[in-house]
Every structure is written in C-alpha cells, then in structure tokens.
Amino acid sequence: MRIRPLRSTPETPLSPVSAPPEAMRAAIIEACGEADALREASIPVPSPVLSELLVRVVAAGVNPIDAKTRAGAGVSAAIAQYPSALGFDFSGIVVKSPYESHPFPPGTAVFGMAAFPRTGGSYAEYVVAPSLSVARKPAALSHVEAAGVPLAALTAWGLVVETAHAHEGQRMLIHAGSGGVGHFAVQFAAYFGAHVTATASGRNAGWLRELGASVVIDYTTTRFEEVVGEVDVVIDLVGNVRAETGTRSLEVLRPGGLYVLVPTGGWPGYAVAAAQAGVRATSYKVIPDGSALATVARLLDSGAVQVYIDQVFELSDAAAAHRAIEAGHTRGKIVLRVSDD
Ligand SMILES: NC(=O)c1ccc[n+]([C@@H]2O[C@H](COP(=O)([O-])OP(=O)(O)OC[C@H]3O[C@@H](n4cnc5c(N)ncnc54)[C@H](OP(=O)(O)O)[C@@H]3O)[C@@H](O)[C@H]2O)c1
C-alpha cells in the first residue's frame, strides 16, 4: 500500500449530555479467578480529578491483558481495591471535562484508554480517563468499532512505526498477524511500504492478504523458518509461550536485524539468545498515547486502515468475552456493548 495524504478527522456534532447517576452497571471482580469471577454489579460512578475526563461508555474493548489481570497475572498487582471494574479500552461520550475550553467538551465522542496500566474500569457505564489517553472517535466508525482500537492499535503503532521504523523495502515478519494487535501491525507496516510476512492459521490467510500482507504462513502446517527467507524485523506477538516461536524467529533475522518481543514474560531469555545470534532485541510496553491515537483515527477515517470486530458481547456477558479471548484465536477484536449511543 502507498502512503497517501491524510484528511483531518471530521468533527462529529456534540451529543446531548445528562448528569451522571450515583451508581452504574459494571463488570467487576471481587477477587482474581476464572472467567466466572467476572460478573455484573452496581457500583458507584467514579469521580474525575483535575485533568481527567468522565466518559459515558457506549462500548468497551476486550484485550488479553484484561483476562490475564482477572486471572491474577497481567496488572492485577495494581488493583487498589475490590470490587474492581476491569477493562481499559472504551468508546463513548464525554460527560465531564476538566475546564470550559478543554479540547474535549461534554458531548464529544471520544475513544481511548482508562488509566492504563493502573485502575482501568472501562467495563462500566462510566469511566474516568486521563485527557492525554483519549482522542476524538473516528467519525467513520461506530462506538463498537472504535472500542476495539485503542490498546491494540497503539501497541501496533509503537511496534511497527516507533520501534521498527517501518519503511519502503523493509522485510518484516509479524507473528499472530490475525489478532487484535497483529491486524493493525500488518496494516501499519504495509502502509509505510514494508514487505510484510504474517503468521496465522490458514483460515485467516486471504483476509490478511487483503490487509496488506504479501505472504501469509499457516503456522499450523508450516514451520515459518523453513520458508520465510531473511527478514530485517520480527514483531513477535507469540513468544516462546507457543512452539518456541521466539527462538525460531532468531534464525530468520539478518545479522543486526531487530527482534521485538511483545507478550510480557513471553520469553525471559530473549536478550541473551538474541545477542548470541548477532541480532538486536527489545521488549515493548504499550503507552496510552492520545496523540498517536489521533493519528490512528485519521488513518481509520481515511479508510487506509480498518478495525475488524470478531465478536460483540453484552456487558452482562463479559465472562463469555473473556473465555473467547483466552481461547487465543480471535480474528481482530472482541468488544462489549455497554449502553446505547
Ligand atoms: N507488551 C504490551 O504492551 C502488549 C500490548 C498488547 C498485547 N500484548 C500481548 O501480545 C499478545 C497478542 O495480543 P493480541 O491482542 O493481538 O492477542 P489476540 O488478539 O488474542 O491474538 C489472537 C491471534 O493469535 C493467533 N495465534 C495464536 N497462536 C498462534 C501461533 N502459534 N502463531 C501465530 N499466530 C497465532 C490467532 O490466529 P489463528 O486464529 O489463525 O490461530 C489469533 O488470530 C498477547 O500475549 C498480549 O497480552 C502485549
């Protein structure tokens, strides 16, 4: 795909806003545990402080870190008190702004991340979010579509653009190209002119080619290191958690190439192994950057990049959404529908 000039995100008219109630529906946990630990309850509406926004949530995105946190890993150590509403991604309408001339006044349609990586709480009718973790919702997207974007797209942006500096002629291998992060990573890399090889199961091959992958390798039938040739960058969204994907990735990198490990703790020995193999290596942690999200919004509005929503669950069915994300075969994103537009 060639780089095209971007239009500004068109402004959506402000929506009417009502004063928030004292209590709201939320999907909460009272302790870490299995997916069934996640249930709907009534909890107080949170109060924004200083530069924070209060947003009425229309839809909330589901990410693997939500399920890891619920299970006692992820960012569970940062849960300050129970019951705790889970979730970071949201799309909705600003209800309270920090000050009168703030760029996101009440009624603005926004999407973004709740206080990541600490309190979260987007699986709820209202969420508090730092102003800097929010952008205007792409006008071309519904709230359900927009809610699938923030964490996954910002991760992909951080990996492909800010870390790997995707450019014309660069050869990039992206593992799990069909997942939440992967399908954005494939599109960003192709947009900036890289030659993209993605791994996924065969059912996703045609779709990934439509998104910009030049080559798709079915990891269920083919060992990628036997067919991929030499690449400049590996974006590893799997790690050594499955089939020694990280170790095998070092075999396909050119001398001095770059290996990027994404799942936290997905391969503790990656740095030593990469040094021995003569390649550079780094891990990565997503940053909830609202200005990068605004750039992503422009790409979405222009049609250069798309979000794919695999499944939509009701807020009351958040446990089922967690079981689905934990199965590890989501195409694109899973989203919770929280309230009406
Ligand atoms: N460090 C950070 O800041 C950060 C940020 C975001 C995500 N992450 C982590 O990165 C990982 C990916 O996140 P995500 O949201 O993209 O997950 P996801 O949406 O759940 O990924 C699912 C995809 O993985 C594919 N897949 C499963 N096993 C595979 C294998 N062995 N080889 C290739 N593809 C495989 C599946 O393809 P098929 O259905 O075709 O099998 C599916 O499409 C997670 O571990 C997540 O926690 C880290």
Side-chain angles (χ1 to χ4, degrees), residues 64-65 68 151 155 175-176 178-182 199-201 203-204 219 237-238 242 245 262-264 284-286 325 328-332:
I65 194 171
K68 292 175 186 178
L151 191 149
T155 304
H175 289 305
S178 48
V181 178
T199 61
S201 66
R203 74 186 176 98
N204 285 315
Y219 72 90
L237 294 159
V238 178
R242 289 182 219 137
T245 302
V262 189
T264 303
Y284 175 79
K285 307 282 180 290
V286 64
I325 196 92
H329 297 289
T330 305
R331 173 189 280 192

Side-chain angles (χ1 to χ4, degrees), residues 4 37 58 66 72 81 83 120 126 143 146 167 187 190 193 226 231 251 263 265 281 290 326 337:
R4 286 175 296 197
V58 178
D66 305 349
Q81 61 178 38
Y126 292 86
H143 283 288
H167 57 267
Q187 294 180 81
E226 292 173 3
V231 299
E251 295 176 31
E326 287 177 308
R337 195 192 324 269

Side-chain angles (χ1 to χ4, degrees), residues 79-112:
I79 295 176
Q81 61 178 38
Y82 292 97
S84 176
L86 295 183
F88 293 105
D89 282 349
F90 63 83
S91 182
I93 305 293
V94 174
V95 175
K96 281 188 188 166
S97 286
Y99 51 90
E100 292 80 349
S101 60
H102 191 273
F104 306 133
T108 310
V110 293
F111 71 145

Side-chain angles (χ1 to χ4, degrees), residues 277-339:
V279 301
R280 294 170 295 141
T282 182
S283 58
Y284 175 79
K285 307 282 180 290
V286 64
I287 295 168
D289 176 353
S291 55
L293 191 59
T295 304
V296 170
R298 292 170 70 195
L299 287 164
L300 288 159
D301 264 331
S302 74
V305 168
Q306 299 155 29
V307 56
Y308 183 90
I309 305 299
D310 191 350
Q311 295 185 78
V312 181
F313 293 85
E314 297 300 319
L315 179 66
S316 56
D317 226 2
H322 272 213
R323 281 190 284 272
I325 196 92
E326 287 177 308
H329 297 289
T330 305
R331 173 189 280 192
K333 295 296 303 180
I334 291 174
V335 172
L336 298 177
R337 195 192 324 269
V338 176
S339 61

